[in-house]
Amino acid sequence: LNIFFMKKTIICAIAAFGLMFSNTASAQALEEGNLVFDVYYGFPNLYTSVFKAAYTNGTEEGLSISGIGPVGFRAEYLLADKIGLGLDIGFNNTKVSYIETGFSEDYTYDFVTKKIGVLLTFNYHFIDNDQVDFYGVFGVGYGNRTFSFESSDPNYIQAEISSLIPIASKIGVGVRYFVTDNLGLNLAAGFGQGGILNAGLSFKI
């Protein structure tokens, strides 16, 4: 419930930010035929957060919990002034490592989960002036999460599990603020790939 409320609050905040510019100059930051590229880093890494909370009072020797992402790349082609077709490629992972002491030597144990997603996205640009581009996005495509278990113990059975249904989706809102004709900042929020909130740089050609 708290995560849902946080997502809803962030989405409303971004929408309000976009509306601040709704009555400004009529020139457009983006128009038909433009290509836009975004690189972004998101928050939170759900699995990393869950495991850190679960192991708060853990007594495992050498316990280490780390993660990367959500990190991603977006590309969008403006089919019309307000309609864009895009591609969103995202990645995140989490690694939990610890040590168990045996009779003769210590063994390391690693649990790693990672996800790769490639989505086809449809963007509708509600507000587009000379510096600000505010849009809604829906995307669906391939998303595969794997879980692997490894150990230096020779008697340990290594294992890897993948998603039964490798599908990913995304719905949300975003805003780009162009500081020059071709370079800008991006901020987005939503449900699905990319985390609750993500931000980065935008490049337009």
Side-chain angles (χ1 to χ4, degrees):
L1 182 60
N2 289 336
I3 291 178
F4 175 79
F5 179 76
M6 185 188 305
K7 288 182 177 181
K8 186 176 180 180
T9 301
I10 293 171
I11 291 172
C12 289
I14 291 178
F17 177 78
L19 289 172
M20 289 171 57
F21 297 87
S22 60
N23 295 317
T24 56
S26 59
Q28 296 181 189
L30 299 178
E31 57 188 14
E32 182 178 347
N34 278 154
L35 268 172
V36 189
F37 303 98
D38 298 335
V39 291
Y40 66 83
Y41 199 93
F43 172 86
N45 185 317
L46 182 59
Y47 278 83
T48 300
S49 299
V50 167
F51 281 113
K52 283 185 175 180
Y55 282 92
T56 299
N57 300 314
T59 58
E60 291 80 1
E61 183 179 349
L63 177 65
S64 173
I65 303 173
S66 60
I68 298 174
V71 62
F73 169 81
R74 293 186 290 254
E76 180 187 0
Y77 177 74
L78 274 292
L79 299 173
D81 287 348
K82 291 188 175 296
I83 299 175
L85 190 65
L87 189 69
D88 188 325
I89 302 173
F91 171 82
N92 67 76
N93 81 344
T94 296
K95 181 177 181 179
V96 180
S97 300
Y98 61 92
I99 299 171
E100 284 191 1
T101 302
F103 291 107
S104 58
E105 62 180 294
D106 295 342
Y107 298 112
T108 61
Y109 291 83
D110 296 325
F111 164 75
V112 178
T113 177
K114 58 185 177 182
K115 182 178 181 180
I116 297 176
V118 181
L119 308 183
L120 181 66
T121 62
F122 173 83
N123 292 7
Y124 183 80
H125 298 261
F126 298 100
I127 300 167
D128 185 13
N129 61 47
D130 58 345
Q131 285 187 294
V132 175
D133 169 43
F134 175 62
Y135 62 92
V137 57
F138 172 76
V140 64
Y142 170 82
N144 185 44
R145 180 171 290 279
T146 59
F147 302 87
S148 62
F149 306 84
E150 300 178 354
S151 174
S152 60
D153 182 349
N155 296 316
Y156 185 84
I157 299 176
Q158 318 289 338
E160 181 169 302
I161 304 170
S162 296
S163 300
L164 292 177
I165 304 176
I167 297 176
S169 62
K170 176 178 186 175
I171 186 169
V173 295
V175 61
R176 299 182 180 104
Y177 178 78
F178 287 92
V179 294
T180 72
D181 287 344
N182 303 102
L183 176 64
L185 305 174
N186 64 70
L187 178 66
F191 299 85
Q193 182 164 294
I196 296 174
L197 183 69
N198 62 73
L201 297 176
S202 298
F203 308 89
K204 178 184 69 175
I205 59 174

